[in-house]
Amino acid sequence: MSARARESFARSFGEVPEACARAPGRVNLIGEHTDYNDGFVLPIAIDLDCVCACGPGRGTVHLASADVGAAYEAPPGEALRAETWRTAGAPRWASYAAGALACAAREAPALESMLRTRGIRLAVASDVPLGGGLSSSAALEVSVALAACALAGEAPADIARACQRAEHEFAGTPCGLMDQFVSVHARAGHALLLDCATGAFEHVPMPPGWSVMVLDTGVRHELAGGEYARRRASCERAARALGAPSLRHARERDLGAPGLAPQDRDRARHVIREIERARTGAGALARGDARVFGALMVQSHASLRDDYEVSCPELNIAVEVLLDVPGVVGARMTGGGFGGAAIGLVRTDDAPSAAPSAAEAYARRTGRDGKVRVVRASGGASAETAPAGCA
Ligand code: ADP
Ligand code: MG
């Protein structure tokens, strides 16, 4: 477990932690903007983690982050109430951690009682870049919820859903279940095909000899939040016009329906095809067919750019740059869009030379620093208790 979280705990509280947990960030390989349409997503957990080190409190909830260099302390009644985090001036980063504690405690009586009486002290340190589209928020929530449960000696049923609730109720972000789910349930060397309608999932082996490269565009456009809400509304209207409970149940051949506005039709076309691409893509990965998967990634990007209109110039350039690099068979934007990261599927042997050439080409074309990482499909979150554990 990360020495940085343990050291941050020791520095903040002058003691050694009694429990630790790590939880990974993720990239979604395919299946974008399908989660809130009851569709499929196909993410991998990556080898970048958030680590939470914790110990019993002194009557308060005391949270520290080595990454933002800040701490928050309040009585449990205040820290664990969602309203506290809706007031202006509440430190946003701490809402994710407090929310994870509060929502996990609803399903974990021993944690609930520990938080109400003794409180908790915890420190987090993450190597998932904050706000870079690799889901540092889910990594933070899951590591906090798991570490706190380990400290209280409890194993709650559904950490992923508790953390999703935390993000909705405390951080005020209406995210789908994917980020938290893959952070909890991923298997090393596998992607995870998640059916967002039922919660059913399947581990899909990654093709041997292929790696995932992530190019962080370094931009996050302001319109992301508002546009996200508009896309959701558009999908709901389209489903209604097609008489379907959600776009999962709609068919492309029905898109000519008279009640459907042209823009909603484009949005629905993306979703219907993207759900199919996620399914087909999982099959291609499982067969080790990287070329077919790569072609699906390229189609996915075009669809997000043209039909769903959530790309931006930097993401389009990032995808072009990745596709130009020898050894890359497919690339697309990943995440909600309007900035964040693009990913490429690259032959593992070519990755060491591909990463710097992609970074250099992106910088040349945009004048921006484009950080490129080669990530490994990693296992889901885990927790340990002291004394040996937090070492
Ligand atoms: P992403 O999840 O893609 O990284 P989000 O906007 O969903 O982007 O979440 C990023 C936010 O999560 C950060 O701005 C910060 O408030 C919070 N966060 C994530 N990790 C940490 C951390 N280690 N310490 C403090 N805050 C964090
Ligand atoms: Mg997030």
Side-chain angles (χ1 to χ4, degrees):
M1 293 278 175
S2 143
R4 227 158 54 80
R6 207 175 61 247
E7 281 159 18
S8 170
F9 187 93
R11 219 178 18 257
S12 304
F13 308 119
E15 283 178 16
V16 290
E18 290 187 18
C20 284
R22 55 157 282 277
R26 60 95 189 97
V27 296
N28 188 22
L29 299 181
I30 202 157
E32 213 65 74
H33 287 280
T34 51
D35 56 351
Y36 51 85
N37 288 298
D38 284 348
F40 288 89
V41 292
L42 186 65
I44 56 170
I46 57 177
D47 48 340
L48 299 172
D49 295 319
C50 184
V51 177
C52 173
C54 66
R58 300 288 182 270
T60 64
V61 170
H62 198 158
L63 315 170
S65 166
D67 305 300
V68 298
Y72 163 88
E73 185 176 14
E78 187 180 325
L80 304 176
R81 211 180 35 230
E83 291 72 43
T84 300
W85 303 99
R86 295 199 193 108
T87 52
R92 185 165 166 72
W93 72 269
S95 68
Y96 295 88
L101 291 172
C103 294
R106 287 180 199 160
E107 302 172 30
L111 175 59
E112 165 80 26
S113 121
M114 184 191 80
L115 290 173
R116 296 279 160 206
T117 52
R118 306 179 71 177
I120 193 167
R121 304 198 291 194
L122 66 82
V124 295
S126 187
D127 46 27
V128 187
L130 273 55
L134 302 183
S135 199
S136 68
S137 59
L140 171 62
E141 293 147 10
V142 172
S143 67
V144 166
L146 267 188
C149 286
L151 181 67
E154 188 132 37
D158 198 342
I159 288 272
R161 234 169 251 287
C163 290
Q164 181 197 23
R165 264 182 235 120
E167 192 140 343
H168 289 192
E169 293 177 27
F170 285 68
T173 309
C175 60
L177 183 60
M178 170 174 72
D179 299 356
Q180 293 82 5
F181 197 90
V182 69
S183 187
V184 172
H185 296 288
R187 180 183 291 174
H190 291 70
L192 189 151
L193 180 69
L194 171 65
D195 182 342
C196 298
T198 62
F201 67 100
E202 203 180 303
H203 296 291
V204 181
M206 290 295 285
W210 293 88
S211 296
V212 176
M213 205 157 68
V214 182
L215 195 169
D216 186 347
T217 61
V219 298
R220 189 84 196 130
H221 293 295
E222 272 310 310
L223 29 67
E227 290 296 322
Y228 179 82
R230 267 193 280 282
R231 293 304 177 282
R232 284 189 77 137
S234 197
C235 291
E236 282 162 22
R237 270 197 310 273
R240 257 198 317 277
L242 294 169
S246 70
L247 288 179
R248 166 75 172 272
H249 307 279
R251 287 164 308 189
E252 191 173 343
R253 65 171 178 273
D254 297 333
L255 287 179
L260 198 53
Q263 194 178 61
D264 290 347
R265 177 176 308 130
D266 292 344
R267 308 302 190 228
R269 187 186 311 111
H270 163 74
V271 172
I272 293 169
R273 290 182 176 176
E274 184 77 359
I275 290 174
E276 200 46 46
R277 277 191 287 268
R279 275 176 154 156
T280 321
L285 276 193
R287 289 194 311 276
D289 198 338
R291 287 191 184 278
V292 166
F293 194 83
L296 292 167
M297 291 171 85
V298 171
Q299 289 170 21
S300 168
H301 185 74
S303 172
L304 288 158
R305 183 190 61 210
D306 303 333
D307 276 342
Y308 218 62
E309 295 186 278
V310 291
S311 191
C312 63
E314 295 87 350
L315 278 169
N316 296 336
I317 291 173
V319 167
E320 285 172 30
V321 155
L322 287 168
L323 288 172
D324 267 352
V325 168
V328 172
V329 289
R332 57 182 288 273
M333 56 159 274
T334 184
F338 305 105
I343 55 170
L345 188 63
V346 62
R347 209 182 294 281
T348 304
D349 288 346
D350 290 318
S353 58
S357 29
E360 194 265 323
Y362 180 78
R364 185 161 25 83
R365 288 189 54 186
T366 61
R368 291 177 181 280
D369 233 11
K371 189 164 173 44
V372 182
R373 295 181 180 80
V374 179
V375 294
R376 257 205 329 268
S378 302
S382 58
E384 298 171 355
T385 44
C390 301

